[in-house]
Amino acid sequence: MAPLGDRLLIRPRPKATQTAGGVLLTSGATEQLSEAVVGTVLAVGSGVEAGVSVGDDVLFLKYSSADVEVPDGDICFVAEKSVLAKLS
């Protein structure tokens, strides 16, 4: 798949199942932890101008993505304006 325009194709990181201290998290708790998601950029549309490239880890808004199930797991199409930060 190749994103069009100002879209990025991102594979979200798996949700945490426990905290750093070892406390197990329920699925409901992990949904409410944050409105932002970290993921790895798989492809970049031709209209993206933010300096994001394939392989970069980014933080994006989870409610502004279009999720797609593929055999390898879930991927998301995200508009460039929904990317909050490029992680280093």
Side-chain angles (χ1 to χ4, degrees), residues 12-75:
R13 286 188 187 164
K15 293 183 175 83
T17 57
Q18 66 181 19
T19 66
V23 176
L24 297 177
L25 301 171
T26 64
S27 60
T30 57
E31 292 296 322
Q32 296 175 1
L33 285 178
S34 176
E35 292 184 10
V37 178
V38 175
T40 303
V41 177
L42 302 177
V44 178
S46 60
V48 174
E49 301 173 359
V52 178
S53 58
V54 174
D56 288 344
D57 288 329
V58 294
L59 181 70
F60 64 95
L61 296 171
K62 72 178 174 182
Y63 295 117
S64 64
S65 67
D67 301 339
V68 179
E69 285 188 39
V70 294
D72 298 352
D74 291 340
I75 56 173

Side-chain angles (χ1 to χ4, degrees), residues 4-5 8 10-12 23-24 34 39 57-58 61 71 73 76 78 83-84:
L4 300 176
L8 296 110
I10 299 175
R11 180 174 311 279
V23 176
L24 297 177
S34 176
D57 288 329
V58 294
L61 296 171
C76 302
V78 179
V83 174
L84 302 174

